[in-house]
């Protein structure tokens, strides 16, 4: 991911924002930005999917979308129990939205108490 992001940042009109799909891609984005002297949250807005454990340990802290794993697990167990109790029950589709965790890497001001 580092080499790919570096090639994008080296374009004549480089991107000003990136959404990293996971922690590995996020690490590549951060490495490439550092290698090329780009400021996260200034030159390059960064948002990542899946709130990695270290998102708040880098400077600036990384804005993310966090998957509510406790809610996902509880829903999966409930649906499984319902299916076991009634095998002929129609399948259920449950959408559990991610939680937006606003930190400074997106370049937007974070209000007092913002982030997690």
């Amino acid at each position: 991911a580092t080499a790919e992001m570096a090639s994008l940042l080296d374009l004549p009109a480089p991107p000003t924002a990136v959404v990293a799909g996971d922690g590995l891609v996020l690490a590549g984005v951060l490495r490439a930005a550092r290698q090329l002297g780009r400021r996260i949250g200034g030159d390059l807005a960064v948002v990542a999917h899946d709130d990695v454990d270290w998102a708040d340990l880098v400077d600036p802290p990384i804005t993310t979308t966090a998957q509510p794993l406790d809610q996902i697990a509880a829903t999966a167990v409930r649906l499984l129990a319902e299916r076991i109790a009634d095998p002929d029950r129609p399948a259920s589709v449950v959408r559990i939205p991610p939680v937006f965790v606003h930190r400074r890497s997106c370049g937007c001001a974070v209000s007092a108490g913002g982030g997690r």
Side-chain angles (χ1 to χ4, degrees), residues 8-64:
L8 289 173
L9 291 174
D10 208 25
L11 291 170
T16 58
V18 65
V19 176
D22 60 37
L24 186 61
V25 173
L26 174 59
V29 168
L30 297 176
R31 279 189 194 100
R34 183 180 62 213
Q35 288 172 358
L36 295 172
R38 301 303 197 288
R39 291 176 306 112
I40 300 297
D43 303 320
L44 183 67
V46 175
V47 174
H49 177 66
D50 207 6
D51 193 30
V52 294
D53 290 341
W54 47 268
D56 61 340
L57 299 177
V58 296
D59 187 31
I62 306 298
T63 297
T64 64

